[in-house]
Amino acid sequence: MAPLSKAGTALAALREDLTGEVFAPEDPGYDAARTVFNAMIDRKPAVITRCESEADVITAVRFARDLDLPVAVRGGGHSVAGMSLNDGGVVVDMRRMHEVTVHPGAKAVRIAGGAVMSHLDRACQPYDLATTGGRVSTTGVAGFVLGGGSGWLDRKFGLAVDNLLGVDLVTADGSTLTATAEDHPELFWALHGGGGNFGVATSLTLRLHELAEFSFCLLLYPPEAGPQVLRGYRELIESGPVEAAGGVIYLTAPPEPFVPPHLVGTLMTAALVTYAGGEEDLRTLVGPLLALPHEAEVLGAIPYPDFQCMLDDPPGLRNYWSAEYLTGLPDELVEVFCARATTMPVPTGTQHAMFPLGGAIAQGPAQFPVPYRDAPWAVHPFGMWEDPADDERCRQWVKDVRADVRPWSTGSVYLNFTGDEGPERVVAGLGEENLHRLGAVKREYDPDNVFRFNHNIKPT
């Protein structure tokens, strides 16, 4: 850390040079600027730079380097581990940089580093185009994509990184580059799952796909029906088309118009089938699930961006998530998964989810550092609650889910679904062999590990 006199002079110069706003702890708006999605995260950066352009990002990174301050990067701020913040360092906040430019003829889109899914999805909708995005509209595009990118469309269109065409990056020395398959190819490889380790992604270019129709079916069943529902859902996915995705999710029934009032606040089993196609075909596909006795039903066509907003996680709650990627979904695992739902914290926003993979995920490029690609199913315990008194209970439940399903785990994991679970989980999320190669890329582009507020890759 530089002497206080130098720091004060540098901060004054930063306020003058940055087009966007600068927040220090004494400034009005500082506390609002450091608030992120997960209410469990309470960190106090020395400086928050609310950037409006790539030039602002360069200025912020050079400021941090001059003062030897660590750098955290904020796109959507949706990271469950709070990776968008640090204590005593600099935050590069890109939320004002959310432009999206669609090139329909080329079926490509360029997205600024601060955009969230709703920016991307709404811009592509008029052209009947889409690409794999997060499962809610508030997820930051950059962090989502660089971390691998799994969502409702991945069985049809592949993981988000499978659609990555280029990244504009501000590196640790404050210079800029564009990584593509032709330019900086080793860095481009590393950006396919290596996250924010290598610089600040000020924009990304993604491949788009035709999506003229989208529909979904959501069915609520009593919790005791869970094993039968999950077995039926497994059959639907394993024998059905790659257009079908979704999950079986235990949740607290929400106060929505389609939920009978006497069930609100109670534990329910939900079967969600998302479909990259029309309502008529979906209705035929989910016939076996419709035939099971259920308490609530919603089925219909909907614009994909509208569906993305339906399941948004409310900000300001406490969050602890994790995941295990599975070798299969045998009947024994069905029973184990459903039994754990009986201990789920209710009523809270917590969800106990089983997602299908396969399809275009498994068939995608094998060379990228995404070792979970071959898993056909994933368990995602999603702890979300309001009362700090529930912290230990909810965190322990998430850990119990992982322990239950570990006999069926592939050993790999999608890091965007996890918080800070230690270095061994970073290895699980990237692959041991990949990690050595990623470390060499890190050494070339960030030898001082300036960008370390992430699932960190050490320079080697």
Side-chain angles (χ1 to χ4, degrees):
M1 175 67 184
L4 287 178
S5 58
K6 180 181 178 182
T9 301
L11 180 59
L14 178 68
R15 292 185 191 275
E16 183 71 24
D17 294 342
L18 206 78
T19 305
E21 294 177 278
V22 175
F23 296 95
E26 66 276 8
D27 292 333
Y30 170 80
D31 283 332
R34 71 182 183 91
T35 299
V36 291
F37 167 78
N38 186 356
M40 294 184 76
I41 307 301
D42 183 21
R43 295 178 185 148
K44 296 182 178 179
V47 178
I48 300 170
T49 59
R50 187 165 287 171
C51 300
E52 294 191 356
S53 65
E54 183 179 73
D56 275 357
V57 173
I58 294 169
T59 298
V61 170
R62 290 179 177 172
F63 166 83
R65 295 307 309 273
D66 286 347
L67 296 182
D68 194 26
L69 292 172
V71 178
V73 181
R74 178 168 188 167
H78 203 263
S79 158
V80 69
M83 293 171 179
S84 305
L85 293 179
N86 57 30
D87 282 313
V90 174
V91 172
V92 178
D93 183 341
M94 293 188 290
R95 283 178 292 168
R96 289 188 177 175
M97 300 167 57
H98 52 72
E99 302 81 11
V100 177
T101 304
V102 181
H103 302 282
K107 289 188 178 177
V109 59
R110 186 178 183 188
I111 311 109
V116 297
M117 288 301 155
S118 60
H119 296 128
L120 170 60
D121 297 334
R122 298 284 180 200
C124 295
Q125 181 186 2
Y127 306 100
D128 289 337
L129 295 171
T131 195
T132 299
R135 289 179 170 86
V136 295
S137 72
T138 52
T139 302
V141 175
F144 167 78
V145 173
L146 299 181
S150 171
W152 305 123
L153 299 175
D154 54 13
R155 283 172 38 83
K156 176 65 173 175
F157 299 144
L159 297 170
V161 286
D162 298 343
N163 296 289
L164 184 61
L165 301 175
V167 182
D168 293 325
L169 213 64
V170 174
T171 55
D173 61 359
S175 61
T176 62
L177 60 82
T178 299
T180 66
E182 293 76 32
D183 297 315
H184 304 279
E186 190 69 0
L187 173 61
F188 188 57
W189 169 84
L191 294 169
H192 285 71
N197 270 281
F198 309 101
V200 185
T202 54
S203 71
L204 303 90
T205 302
L206 298 174
R207 181 183 298 109
L208 295 174
H209 305 267
E210 293 182 9
L211 186 69
E213 295 182 284
F214 187 86
S215 51
F216 80 102
C217 176
L218 177 63
L219 302 170
L220 293 184
Y221 304 85
E224 59 271 17
Q228 185 181 15
V229 172
L230 185 51
R231 287 192 297 269
Y233 185 87
R234 177 186 62 190
E235 173 63 23
L236 181 154
I237 290 293
E238 294 183 350
S239 64
V242 295
E243 286 79 5
V248 170
I249 308 163
Y250 285 90
L251 46 70
T252 299
E256 296 289 345
F258 65 90
V259 178
H262 71 281
L263 296 176
V264 171
T266 68
L267 180 66
M268 300 294 291
T269 305
L272 172 64
V273 182
T274 61
Y275 189 67
E279 177 182 349
E280 186 176 341
D281 289 342
L282 172 62
R283 186 173 293 277
T284 300
L285 180 67
V286 300
L289 294 179
L290 290 169
L292 298 176
H294 50 279
E295 301 287 346
E297 171 185 331
V298 184
L299 190 157
I302 186 173
Y304 172 65
D306 291 351
F307 177 76
Q308 284 282 72
C309 297
M310 285 181 57
L311 302 177
D312 283 354
D313 315 315
L317 297 179
R318 306 174 76 78
N319 284 258
Y320 184 80
W321 318 336
S322 194
E324 290 290 341
Y325 278 62
L326 307 171
T327 57
L329 186 53
D331 286 345
E332 183 182 0
L333 177 52
V334 169
E335 297 295 332
V336 168
F337 172 81
C338 295
R340 178 53 62 186
T342 62
T343 65
M344 194 179 99
V346 175
T348 66
T350 297
Q351 297 180 12
H352 184 33
M354 180 76 73
F355 290 129
L357 290 89
I361 305 169
Q363 296 162 10
Q367 71 269 26
F368 298 141
V370 283
Y372 47 85
R373 184 183 293 280
D374 60 348
W377 295 90
V379 168
H380 182 27
F382 188 99
M384 188 164 59
W385 64 99
E386 187 172 5
D387 188 348
D390 284 334
D391 284 1
E392 184 54 38
R393 175 172 72 117
C394 293
R395 282 193 297 234
Q396 186 58 51
W397 177 81
V398 170
K399 294 173 184 176
D400 290 344
V401 174
R402 282 192 59 204
D404 285 348
V405 305
R406 200 160 290 137
W408 296 276
S409 174
T410 66
S412 299
V413 68
Y414 172 45
L415 291 175
N416 281 357
F417 275 171
T418 70
D420 182 1
E421 297 180 0
E424 70 282 353
R425 286 286 270 176
V426 177
V427 176
L430 298 169
E432 192 162 2
E433 288 186 18
N434 291 327
L435 200 56
H436 293 295
R437 185 176 169 186
L438 289 162
V441 179
K442 179 78 168 180
R443 184 182 67 244
E444 180 175 356
Y445 292 94
D446 184 16
D448 299 323
N449 203 12
V450 172
F451 300 111
R452 58 183 179 270
F453 293 94
N454 42 48
H455 292 292
N456 194 233
I457 298 165
K458 300 281 195 301
T460 58

